[in-house]
């Protein structure tokens, strides 16, 4: 587990013509679940990608567990990201997809890796799918695999980029409950991005509202939405 601290984090594109993230400062506590909500194009994805190390900030800093990771490569950060489009390797099996992240980030033996993947697959209810390839899976199953791949690494921080947007309404409800169960069980610091206000209301300990790249306010869901 770890804190995440964003200090005047900024990202410009096109030589400053686009300010995607406009000096955002945010403290996420150890084990806290923060949901970042805002309309499409408000900078949610860019913020997450900077925390993950997939995009470099124009200015400002990012600390994880007190360590300044602003200039660290993605693979040297103890974060796992879950994407809207799952981002699974199509030609690898579910087992290989899940083991891939492990190989990058730990020095476990082959047998230990196998055991970890088995344990996590069971936790996610995908143990029957381990030999399948992503093309054989439904959207909900793919997202379970993507969650499993993130969990198996036991990261300090989970980053969720609209993970449920491509699922139908019923599956979204199921997976919301699932993600909350995982959060309760694992207690990992989590930042969850969505444009869906209803989702934002029901997920997370705290909401952060982003608009035009700026952080408008943060607070408990109930307090944020009850204000006029
Ligand atoms: P959101 O995730 O909230 O939909 P994004 O972070 O994807 O928002 O995008 C924020 C803004 O930055 C948008 O105006 C988007 O078009 C722009 N943007 C994002 N990535 C790039 C990029 N690689 N090049 C230029 N503009 C970008
Ligand atoms: P999201 O809102 O989830 O980021 P998008 O479809 O907006 O999804 O962005 C997908 C990818 O395209 C991201 O890597 C983002 O950085 C990039 N992107 C978004 N807007 C632009 C843009 N105006 N110019 C170039 N790349 C962009």
């Amino acid at each position: 587990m770890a804190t995440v601290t964003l200090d005047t984090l900024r990202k410009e594109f096109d030589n400053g013509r686009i300010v995607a993230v406009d000096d955002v400062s945010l403290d996420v506590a150890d084990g806290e679940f923060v949901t970042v909500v805002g309309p499409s194009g408000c900078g949610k994805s860019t913020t997450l990608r900077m925390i993950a190390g997939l995009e470099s900030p124009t200015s400002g800093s990012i600390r994880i567990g007190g360590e300044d990771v602003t200039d660290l490569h993605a693979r040297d950060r103890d974060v796992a990201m879950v994407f809207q489009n799952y981002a699974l390797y199509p030609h690898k099996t579910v087992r290989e997809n899940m083991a891939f992240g492990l190989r990058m980030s730990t020095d476990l033996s082959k047998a230990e890796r196998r055991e970890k993947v088995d344990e996590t697959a069971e936790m996610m209810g995908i143990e029957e799918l381990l030999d399948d390839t992503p093309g054989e899976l439904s959207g909900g199953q793919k997202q379970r695999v993507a969650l499993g791949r993130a969990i198996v690494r036991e990261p300090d921080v989970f980053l969720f980029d609209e993970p449920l947007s491509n699922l139908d309404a019923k599956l979204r409800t199921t997976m919301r409950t699932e993600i909350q169960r995982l959060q309760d069980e694992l207690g990992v610091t989590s930042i969850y991005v969505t444009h869906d206000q209803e989702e934002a209301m029901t997920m997370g300990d705290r909401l952060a509202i982003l608009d035009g790249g700026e952080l408008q306010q943060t607070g408990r869901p109930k307090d944020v939405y009850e204000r006029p």
Side-chain angles (χ1 to χ4, degrees):
M1 287 208 281
T3 54
V4 177
T5 307
L6 311 182
D7 187 2
T8 50
L9 194 63
R10 183 176 191 84
K11 181 63 179 180
E12 301 174 355
F13 290 107
D14 289 350
N15 293 313
R17 276 187 288 275
I18 297 173
V19 181
V21 178
D22 193 352
D23 297 344
V24 165
S25 295
L26 179 68
D27 279 313
V28 183
D30 205 15
E32 191 178 22
F33 190 126
V34 170
T35 304
V36 179
V37 63
S40 181
C42 74
K44 305 183 295 295
S45 207
T46 304
T47 303
L48 270 199
R49 291 169 59 80
M50 288 193 284
I51 299 170
L54 302 173
E55 196 93 67
S56 323
T58 304
S59 56
S61 70
I62 301 163
R63 274 178 290 149
I64 297 179
E67 185 195 5
D68 191 329
V69 301
T70 317
D71 298 319
L72 280 192
H73 196 279
R75 65 171 169 264
D76 299 321
R77 304 184 187 197
D78 218 347
V79 304
M81 188 145 158
V82 178
F83 299 89
Q84 182 178 343
N85 62 4
Y86 324 118
L88 300 172
Y89 297 103
H91 302 299
K92 291 186 193 292
T93 63
V94 167
R95 175 181 292 285
E96 288 162 348
N97 265 284
M98 289 176 67
F100 194 75
L102 265 187
R103 200 163 60 228
M104 307 277 288
S105 63
T106 66
D107 38 31
L108 299 172
S109 74
K110 209 172 163 194
E112 286 167 328
R113 287 203 300 262
R114 201 178 168 85
E115 194 177 325
K116 265 183 174 301
V117 169
D118 284 335
E119 268 172 30
T120 308
E122 209 167 298
M123 180 177 187
M124 293 308 298
I126 52 173
E127 62 271 36
E128 306 290 319
L129 308 177
L130 283 169
D131 295 325
D132 294 348
T133 52
E136 300 174 81
L137 308 181
S138 70
Q141 288 173 330
K142 280 186 233 183
Q143 200 49 292
R144 276 176 191 276
V145 173
L147 278 168
R149 183 182 54 184
I151 290 164
V152 76
R153 287 176 51 195
E154 302 178 40
D156 284 342
V157 179
F158 274 135
L159 304 174
F160 297 97
D161 193 359
E162 310 229 15
L164 308 184
S165 295
N166 286 339
L167 305 178
D168 64 42
K170 188 157 172 263
L171 256 177
R172 275 208 300 277
T173 310
T174 312
M175 291 302 290
R176 258 190 227 169
T177 313
E178 190 83 351
I179 289 172
Q180 274 161 329
R181 173 181 74 90
L182 289 170
Q183 170 65 17
D184 288 343
E185 232 162 83
L186 304 171
V188 179
T189 310
S190 303
I191 304 178
Y192 186 104
V193 155
T194 180
H195 66 271
D196 181 340
Q197 288 210 358
E198 196 203 322
E199 199 168 291
M201 279 293 285
T202 55
M203 310 277 300
D205 306 319
R206 191 153 61 103
L207 276 182
I209 302 199
L210 206 58
D211 198 9
E214 290 184 58
L215 190 62
Q216 302 295 328
Q217 58 172 322
T218 72
R220 290 181 307 167
K222 178 172 152 291
D223 298 336
V224 166
Y225 282 114
E226 273 175 7
R227 278 183 209 168

